[in-house]
Amino acid sequence: MVKKAVIPAAGMGTRMLPLTKTQPKEMLPLGRKPCIQYIVEELASVGVEQVLFITGHKKRAIEDHFDKDNELSKMLSMSGQKDLLEELKYEDMDISFYYTRQSYPAGLGHAVRCAKDFVGNDPFIIALGDSIIHSKENKILLRRMLDQFEKDQESFVIATREVPLESVHRYGIVEPVAESKGGISQIKALVEKPSMQTAPSTQAVAARYIMPSRIFDAIDRTSPGKGGEIQLTDSIGLLLKEGGKGYAVSLSDREKRYDIGNFQSYYEAFLDFALEDERYGYQLKQYIIQKLGL
Ligand code: G1P
């Protein structure tokens, strides 16, 4: 039922310099694929048909990655390299791609606002371009979020996960109405990057949202918040204040969020994905065991 998704990918990736001086952080490799490919495959797996990327300067590589490269395919097929041709299968995903630019950085709310014309009156998914949700569940997080949304199509749904109290200042934090049931709780309020003292919980917004198109009107009425930017969290807060209903669906213990926006978490992500590589994962594990003297 939800067929459209928006991927904000305009951030400059300054925390990953010099790696990101000329390449988008969304294109950084995790195992065999760039980060953004996992996200698009996640969206395709829940039936998304149209994806809009919100990009900015130096993000052209994302467009090239999802464009079909007929020359390359022809060359590989003529030289009989079928296994490599297989690696390009993702180009045939049943998704139409659209691109627009956020010409200056003014916050996640402002970036999402660039999707207004694309979205029209439809509900849509927001998937942050620098965050992968790795799931070993039969029903992945986004599927569970969509199931919740389909129960009440006037509502909105946000992914959340538990974070240590010392880290709440880095995330949007949810104030739940009550204890969660089966990983789902109704949301009372949201606060962007609170201090440890003021955080209403340790449930952090985790890079996936399902929103009604009403969010655009809320964004237009949102004043600059944390960091002087238009925060999506504040716009969602407005929906709640005006009687909107929202639900938090939390990651299970068989799911992990990887944020590739800083080196520590990027290294962890790269290692985990490389260890899962069908061909080289086992060898890498042996190498690590030997290196660490385990
Ligand atoms: C954004 C959101 C924040 C959310 C985070 C991770 O922050 O503003 O509410 O918790 O993504 O999904 P950023 O990482 O862009 O500073």
PDB file of all heavy atoms in Angstrom, residues 239-266:
ATOM      1  N   LEU A 239       2.555  17.200  14.866  1.00  0.00           N
ATOM      2  CA  LEU A 239       1.441  16.292  14.527  1.00  0.00           C
ATOM      3  C   LEU A 239       0.828  15.726  15.810  1.00  0.00           C
ATOM      4  O   LEU A 239      -0.388  15.648  15.961  1.00  0.00           O
ATOM      5  CB  LEU A 239       1.913  15.123  13.644  1.00  0.00           C
ATOM      6  CG  LEU A 239       2.376  15.407  12.215  1.00  0.00           C
ATOM      7  CD1 LEU A 239       2.721  14.088  11.496  1.00  0.00           C
ATOM      8  CD2 LEU A 239       1.293  16.141  11.415  1.00  0.00           C
ATOM      9  N   LEU A 240       1.709  15.346  16.746  1.00  0.00           N
ATOM     10  CA  LEU A 240       1.231  14.758  18.002  1.00  0.00           C
ATOM     11  C   LEU A 240       0.441  15.775  18.819  1.00  0.00           C
ATOM     12  O   LEU A 240      -0.645  15.474  19.334  1.00  0.00           O
ATOM     13  CB  LEU A 240       2.409  14.249  18.836  1.00  0.00           C
ATOM     14  CG  LEU A 240       3.087  12.966  18.353  1.00  0.00           C
ATOM     15  CD1 LEU A 240       4.383  12.743  19.109  1.00  0.00           C
ATOM     16  CD2 LEU A 240       2.165  11.758  18.526  1.00  0.00           C
ATOM     17  N   LYS A 241       0.981  16.988  18.911  1.00  0.00           N
ATOM     18  CA  LYS A 241       0.319  18.031  19.704  1.00  0.00           C
ATOM     19  C   LYS A 241      -1.061  18.341  19.158  1.00  0.00           C
ATOM     20  O   LYS A 241      -1.964  18.736  19.881  1.00  0.00           O
ATOM     21  CB  LYS A 241       1.157  19.315  19.685  1.00  0.00           C
ATOM     22  CG  LYS A 241       2.232  19.315  20.738  1.00  0.00           C
ATOM     23  CD  LYS A 241       2.930  20.673  20.829  1.00  0.00           C
ATOM     24  CE  LYS A 241       4.273  20.498  21.495  1.00  0.00           C
ATOM     25  NZ  LYS A 241       5.370  21.130  20.795  1.00  0.00           N
ATOM     26  N   GLU A 242      -1.202  18.156  17.841  1.00  0.00           N
ATOM     27  CA  GLU A 242      -2.484  18.483  17.202  1.00  0.00           C
ATOM     28  C   GLU A 242      -3.403  17.272  17.118  1.00  0.00           C
ATOM     29  O   GLU A 242      -4.337  17.223  16.321  1.00  0.00           O
ATOM     30  CB  GLU A 242      -2.200  19.083  15.819  1.00  0.00           C
ATOM     31  CG  GLU A 242      -1.508  20.448  15.953  1.00  0.00           C
ATOM     32  CD  GLU A 242      -0.900  20.959  14.655  1.00  0.00           C
ATOM     33  OE1 GLU A 242      -0.977  20.249  13.638  1.00  0.00           O
ATOM     34  OE2 GLU A 242      -0.344  22.076  14.668  1.00  0.00           O
ATOM     35  N   GLY A 243      -3.106  16.262  17.931  1.00  0.00           N
ATOM     36  CA  GLY A 243      -4.013  15.116  18.050  1.00  0.00           C
ATOM     37  C   GLY A 243      -3.677  13.934  17.168  1.00  0.00           C
ATOM     38  O   GLY A 243      -4.399  12.929  17.163  1.00  0.00           O
ATOM     39  N   GLY A 244      -2.579  14.026  16.409  1.00  0.00           N
ATOM     40  CA  GLY A 244      -2.179  12.886  15.568  1.00  0.00           C
ATOM     41  C   GLY A 244      -1.728  11.711  16.425  1.00  0.00           C
ATOM     42  O   GLY A 244      -1.294  11.895  17.567  1.00  0.00           O
ATOM     43  N   LYS A 245      -1.873  10.522  15.866  1.00  0.00           N
ATOM     44  CA  LYS A 245      -1.455   9.329  16.604  1.00  0.00           C
ATOM     45  C   LYS A 245      -0.181   8.774  15.989  1.00  0.00           C
ATOM     46  O   LYS A 245      -0.076   8.678  14.755  1.00  0.00           O
ATOM     47  CB  LYS A 245      -2.527   8.249  16.485  1.00  0.00           C
ATOM     48  CG  LYS A 245      -3.446   8.188  17.658  1.00  0.00           C
ATOM     49  CD  LYS A 245      -4.213   6.903  17.596  1.00  0.00           C
ATOM     50  CE  LYS A 245      -5.341   6.929  18.596  1.00  0.00           C
ATOM     51  NZ  LYS A 245      -6.313   5.889  18.319  1.00  0.00           N
ATOM     52  N   GLY A 246       0.768   8.417  16.825  1.00  0.00           N
ATOM     53  CA  GLY A 246       2.008   7.855  16.301  1.00  0.00           C
ATOM     54  C   GLY A 246       2.444   6.639  17.096  1.00  0.00           C
ATOM     55  O   GLY A 246       2.149   6.527  18.291  1.00  0.00           O
ATOM     56  N   TYR A 247       3.127   5.734  16.419  1.00  0.00           N
ATOM     57  CA  TYR A 247       3.578   4.504  17.066  1.00  0.00           C
ATOM     58  C   TYR A 247       5.065   4.301  16.845  1.00  0.00           C
ATOM     59  O   TYR A 247       5.593   4.622  15.777  1.00  0.00           O
ATOM     60  CB  TYR A 247       2.814   3.295  16.500  1.00  0.00           C
ATOM     61  CG  TYR A 247       1.338   3.392  16.759  1.00  0.00           C
ATOM     62  CD1 TYR A 247       0.510   4.040  15.851  1.00  0.00           C
ATOM     63  CD2 TYR A 247       0.789   2.893  17.936  1.00  0.00           C
ATOM     64  CE1 TYR A 247      -0.849   4.178  16.093  1.00  0.00           C
ATOM     65  CE2 TYR A 247      -0.572   3.023  18.189  1.00  0.00           C
ATOM     66  CZ  TYR A 247      -1.378   3.666  17.273  1.00  0.00           C
ATOM     67  OH  TYR A 247      -2.716   3.810  17.531  1.00  0.00           O
ATOM     68  N   ALA A 248       5.713   3.766  17.871  1.00  0.00           N
ATOM     69  CA  ALA A 248       7.134   3.414  17.753  1.00  0.00           C
ATOM     70  C   ALA A 248       7.231   1.905  17.636  1.00  0.00           C
ATOM     71  O   ALA A 248       6.648   1.175  18.444  1.00  0.00           O
ATOM     72  CB  ALA A 248       7.883   3.885  18.990  1.00  0.00           C
ATOM     73  N   VAL A 249       7.917   1.445  16.616  1.00  0.00           N
ATOM     74  CA  VAL A 249       8.168   0.003  16.464  1.00  0.00           C
ATOM     75  C   VAL A 249       9.657  -0.201  16.699  1.00  0.00           C
ATOM     76  O   VAL A 249      10.488   0.417  16.035  1.00  0.00           O
ATOM     77  CB  VAL A 249       7.779  -0.491  15.046  1.00  0.00           C
ATOM     78  CG1 VAL A 249       8.145  -1.960  14.871  1.00  0.00           C
ATOM     79  CG2 VAL A 249       6.286  -0.278  14.795  1.00  0.00           C
ATOM     80  N   SER A 250       9.994  -1.040  17.697  1.00  0.00           N
ATOM     81  CA  SER A 250      11.414  -1.104  18.044  1.00  0.00           C
ATOM     82  C   SER A 250      12.142  -2.252  17.358  1.00  0.00           C
ATOM     83  O   SER A 250      11.550  -3.281  17.025  1.00  0.00           O
ATOM     84  CB  SER A 250      11.596  -1.160  19.561  1.00  0.00           C
ATOM     85  OG  SER A 250      10.951  -2.281  20.053  1.00  0.00           O
ATOM     86  N   LEU A 251      13.422  -2.028  17.144  1.00  0.00           N
ATOM     87  CA  LEU A 251      14.268  -3.081  16.586  1.00  0.00           C
ATOM     88  C   LEU A 251      14.283  -4.237  17.570  1.00  0.00           C
ATOM     89  O   LEU A 251      14.295  -4.015  18.787  1.00  0.00           O
ATOM     90  CB  LEU A 251      15.711  -2.565  16.425  1.00  0.00           C
ATOM     91  CG  LEU A 251      16.065  -1.869  15.124  1.00  0.00           C
ATOM     92  CD1 LEU A 251      15.466  -0.467  15.091  1.00  0.00           C
ATOM     93  CD2 LEU A 251      17.585  -1.769  14.953  1.00  0.00           C
ATOM     94  N   SER A 252      14.290  -5.458  17.060  1.00  0.00           N
ATOM     95  CA  SER A 252      14.344  -6.610  17.957  1.00  0.00           C
ATOM     96  C   SER A 252      15.811  -6.922  18.248  1.00  0.00           C
ATOM     97  O   SER A 252      16.712  -6.286  17.689  1.00  0.00           O
ATOM     98  CB  SER A 252      13.695  -7.826  17.288  1.00  0.00           C
ATOM     99  OG  SER A 252      14.602  -8.386  16.367  1.00  0.00           O
ATOM    100  N   ASP A 253      16.053  -7.917  19.124  1.00  0.00           N
ATOM    101  CA  ASP A 253      17.464  -8.223  19.397  1.00  0.00           C
ATOM    102  C   ASP A 253      18.101  -9.019  18.259  1.00  0.00           C
ATOM    103  O   ASP A 253      19.269  -9.365  18.328  1.00  0.00           O
ATOM    104  CB  ASP A 253      17.637  -8.908  20.768  1.00  0.00           C
ATOM    105  CG  ASP A 253      16.648 -10.023  20.958  1.00  0.00           C
ATOM    106  OD1 ASP A 253      16.067 -10.464  19.946  1.00  0.00           O
ATOM    107  OD2 ASP A 253      16.467 -10.469  22.109  1.00  0.00           O
ATOM    108  N   ARG A 254      17.329  -9.296  17.219  1.00  0.00           N
ATOM    109  CA  ARG A 254      17.911  -9.908  16.009  1.00  0.00           C
ATOM    110  C   ARG A 254      18.101  -8.862  14.900  1.00  0.00           C
ATOM    111  O   ARG A 254      18.272  -9.199  13.733  1.00  0.00           O
ATOM    112  CB  ARG A 254      16.997 -11.045  15.511  1.00  0.00           C
ATOM    113  CG  ARG A 254      17.047 -12.274  16.437  1.00  0.00           C
ATOM    114  CD  ARG A 254      15.820 -13.155  16.245  1.00  0.00           C
ATOM    115  NE  ARG A 254      15.637 -13.585  14.881  1.00  0.00           N
ATOM    116  CZ  ARG A 254      16.285 -14.591  14.295  1.00  0.00           C
ATOM    117  NH1 ARG A 254      17.197 -15.253  14.976  1.00  0.00           N
ATOM    118  NH2 ARG A 254      16.030 -14.928  13.050  1.00  0.00           N
ATOM    119  N   GLU A 255      18.043  -7.586  15.323  1.00  0.00           N
ATOM    120  CA  GLU A 255      18.229  -6.510  14.349  1.00  0.00           C
ATOM    121  C   GLU A 255      19.255  -5.500  14.867  1.00  0.00           C
ATOM    122  O   GLU A 255      19.342  -5.276  16.072  1.00  0.00           O
ATOM    123  CB  GLU A 255      16.894  -5.800  14.082  1.00  0.00           C
ATOM    124  CG  GLU A 255      15.966  -6.674  13.266  1.00  0.00           C
ATOM    125  CD  GLU A 255      14.543  -6.147  13.161  1.00  0.00           C
ATOM    126  OE1 GLU A 255      14.050  -5.571  14.144  1.00  0.00           O
ATOM    127  OE2 GLU A 255      13.933  -6.350  12.113  1.00  0.00           O
ATOM    128  N   LYS A 256      19.971  -4.905  13.925  1.00  0.00           N
ATOM    129  CA  LYS A 256      20.978  -3.933  14.342  1.00  0.00           C
ATOM    130  C   LYS A 256      20.965  -2.752  13.387  1.00  0.00           C
ATOM    131  O   LYS A 256      20.832  -2.917  12.182  1.00  0.00           O
ATOM    132  CB  LYS A 256      22.355  -4.603  14.323  1.00  0.00           C
ATOM    133  CG  LYS A 256      23.416  -3.763  14.940  1.00  0.00           C
ATOM    134  CD  LYS A 256      24.667  -4.568  15.274  1.00  0.00           C
ATOM    135  CE  LYS A 256      25.742  -3.579  15.712  1.00  0.00           C
ATOM    136  NZ  LYS A 256      26.980  -4.144  16.073  1.00  0.00           N
ATOM    137  N   ARG A 257      21.093  -1.568  13.969  1.00  0.00           N
ATOM    138  CA  ARG A 257      21.188  -0.376  13.120  1.00  0.00           C
ATOM    139  C   ARG A 257      22.661  -0.007  12.963  1.00  0.00           C
ATOM    140  O   ARG A 257      23.391   0.082  13.943  1.00  0.00           O
ATOM    141  CB  ARG A 257      20.450   0.794  13.769  1.00  0.00           C
ATOM    142  CG  ARG A 257      20.736   2.081  13.040  1.00  0.00           C
ATOM    143  CD  ARG A 257      20.160   3.298  13.715  1.00  0.00           C
ATOM    144  NE  ARG A 257      20.504   4.456  12.920  1.00  0.00           N
ATOM    145  CZ  ARG A 257      21.237   5.470  13.344  1.00  0.00           C
ATOM    146  NH1 ARG A 257      21.694   5.502  14.567  1.00  0.00           N
ATOM    147  NH2 ARG A 257      21.511   6.469  12.550  1.00  0.00           N
ATOM    148  N   TYR A 258      23.085   0.158  11.734  1.00  0.00           N
ATOM    149  CA  TYR A 258      24.439   0.612  11.461  1.00  0.00           C
ATOM    150  C   TYR A 258      24.367   2.022  10.916  1.00  0.00           C
ATOM    151  O   TYR A 258      23.652   2.289   9.962  1.00  0.00           O
ATOM    152  CB  TYR A 258      25.114  -0.283  10.414  1.00  0.00           C
ATOM    153  CG  TYR A 258      25.399  -1.678  10.899  1.00  0.00           C
ATOM    154  CD1 TYR A 258      24.575  -2.742  10.525  1.00  0.00           C
ATOM    155  CD2 TYR A 258      26.488  -1.935  11.705  1.00  0.00           C
ATOM    156  CE1 TYR A 258      24.848  -4.033  10.951  1.00  0.00           C
ATOM    157  CE2 TYR A 258      26.766  -3.217  12.145  1.00  0.00           C
ATOM    158  CZ  TYR A 258      25.944  -4.263  11.758  1.00  0.00           C
ATOM    159  OH  TYR A 258      26.220  -5.529  12.184  1.00  0.00           O
ATOM    160  N   ASP A 259      25.131   2.911  11.545  1.00  0.00           N
ATOM    161  CA  ASP A 259      25.190   4.291  11.079  1.00  0.00           C
ATOM    162  C   ASP A 259      26.584   4.465  10.476  1.00  0.00           C
ATOM    163  O   ASP A 259      27.581   4.266  11.163  1.00  0.00           O
ATOM    164  CB  ASP A 259      24.977   5.199  12.300  1.00  0.00           C
ATOM    165  CG  ASP A 259      25.385   6.630  12.042  1.00  0.00           C
ATOM    166  OD1 ASP A 259      25.517   7.009  10.863  1.00  0.00           O
ATOM    167  OD2 ASP A 259      25.564   7.369  13.028  1.00  0.00           O
ATOM    168  N   ILE A 260      26.640   4.803   9.199  1.00  0.00           N
ATOM    169  CA  ILE A 260      27.963   4.903   8.588  1.00  0.00           C
ATOM    170  C   ILE A 260      28.474   6.345   8.587  1.00  0.00           C
ATOM    171  O   ILE A 260      29.397   6.686   7.870  1.00  0.00           O
ATOM    172  CB  ILE A 260      27.977   4.311   7.163  1.00  0.00           C
ATOM    173  CG1 ILE A 260      26.861   4.930   6.320  1.00  0.00           C
ATOM    174  CG2 ILE A 260      27.796   2.814   7.185  1.00  0.00           C
ATOM    175  CD1 ILE A 260      27.377   5.542   5.092  1.00  0.00           C
ATOM    176  N   GLY A 261      27.863   7.178   9.417  1.00  0.00           N
ATOM    177  CA  GLY A 261      28.235   8.594   9.456  1.00  0.00           C
ATOM    178  C   GLY A 261      29.450   8.909  10.319  1.00  0.00           C
ATOM    179  O   GLY A 261      29.902  10.040  10.364  1.00  0.00           O
ATOM    180  N   ASN A 262      29.967   7.910  11.053  1.00  0.00           N
ATOM    181  CA  ASN A 262      31.203   8.161  11.813  1.00  0.00           C
ATOM    182  C   ASN A 262      32.080   6.908  11.743  1.00  0.00           C
ATOM    183  O   ASN A 262      31.594   5.806  11.480  1.00  0.00           O
ATOM    184  CB  ASN A 262      30.895   8.560  13.263  1.00  0.00           C
ATOM    185  CG  ASN A 262      30.262   7.431  14.042  1.00  0.00           C
ATOM    186  OD1 ASN A 262      30.939   6.481  14.438  1.00  0.00           O
ATOM    187  ND2 ASN A 262      28.954   7.497  14.239  1.00  0.00           N
ATOM    188  N   PHE A 263      33.385   7.111  11.945  1.00  0.00           N
ATOM    189  CA  PHE A 263      34.323   6.025  11.688  1.00  0.00           C
ATOM    190  C   PHE A 263      34.118   4.816  12.597  1.00  0.00           C
ATOM    191  O   PHE A 263      34.189   3.685  12.146  1.00  0.00           O
ATOM    192  CB  PHE A 263      35.769   6.516  11.774  1.00  0.00           C
ATOM    193  CG  PHE A 263      36.204   7.172  10.499  1.00  0.00           C
ATOM    194  CD1 PHE A 263      36.341   8.547  10.424  1.00  0.00           C
ATOM    195  CD2 PHE A 263      36.436   6.413   9.361  1.00  0.00           C
ATOM    196  CE1 PHE A 263      36.724   9.147   9.225  1.00  0.00           C
ATOM    197  CE2 PHE A 263      36.809   6.998   8.167  1.00  0.00           C
ATOM    198  CZ  PHE A 263      36.950   8.371   8.097  1.00  0.00           C
ATOM    199  N   GLN A 264      33.843   5.066  13.885  1.00  0.00           N
ATOM    200  CA  GLN A 264      33.710   3.915  14.782  1.00  0.00           C
ATOM    201  C   GLN A 264      32.615   2.976  14.302  1.00  0.00           C
ATOM    202  O   GLN A 264      32.812   1.766  14.148  1.00  0.00           O
ATOM    203  CB  GLN A 264      33.413   4.374  16.220  1.00  0.00           C
ATOM    204  CG  GLN A 264      33.424   3.189  17.167  1.00  0.00           C
ATOM    205  CD  GLN A 264      32.911   3.522  18.553  1.00  0.00           C
ATOM    206  OE1 GLN A 264      32.817   4.698  18.932  1.00  0.00           O
ATOM    207  NE2 GLN A 264      32.586   2.511  19.311  1.00  0.00           N
ATOM    208  N   SER A 265      31.460   3.568  14.018  1.00  0.00           N
ATOM    209  CA  SER A 265      30.361   2.678  13.646  1.00  0.00           C
ATOM    210  C   SER A 265      30.520   2.181  12.205  1.00  0.00           C
ATOM    211  O   SER A 265      30.097   1.081  11.872  1.00  0.00           O
ATOM    212  CB  SER A 265      29.026   3.332  13.975  1.00  0.00           C
ATOM    213  OG  SER A 265      28.381   3.795  12.878  1.00  0.00           O
ATOM    214  N   TYR A 266      31.206   2.956  11.357  1.00  0.00           N
ATOM    215  CA  TYR A 266      31.465   2.473   9.993  1.00  0.00           C
ATOM    216  C   TYR A 266      32.387   1.250  10.023  1.00  0.00           C
ATOM    217  O   TYR A 266      32.156   0.262   9.341  1.00  0.00           O
ATOM    218  CB  TYR A 266      32.063   3.587   9.126  1.00  0.00           C
ATOM    219  CG  TYR A 266      32.486   3.076   7.776  1.00  0.00           C
ATOM    220  CD1 TYR A 266      31.538   2.586   6.875  1.00  0.00           C
ATOM    221  CD2 TYR A 266      33.826   3.027   7.402  1.00  0.00           C
ATOM    222  CE1 TYR A 266      31.923   2.071   5.643  1.00  0.00           C
ATOM    223  CE2 TYR A 266      34.216   2.521   6.177  1.00  0.00           C
ATOM    224  CZ  TYR A 266      33.264   2.039   5.300  1.00  0.00           C
ATOM    225  OH  TYR A 266      33.634   1.510   4.095  1.00  0.00           O
TER     226      TYR A 266
END
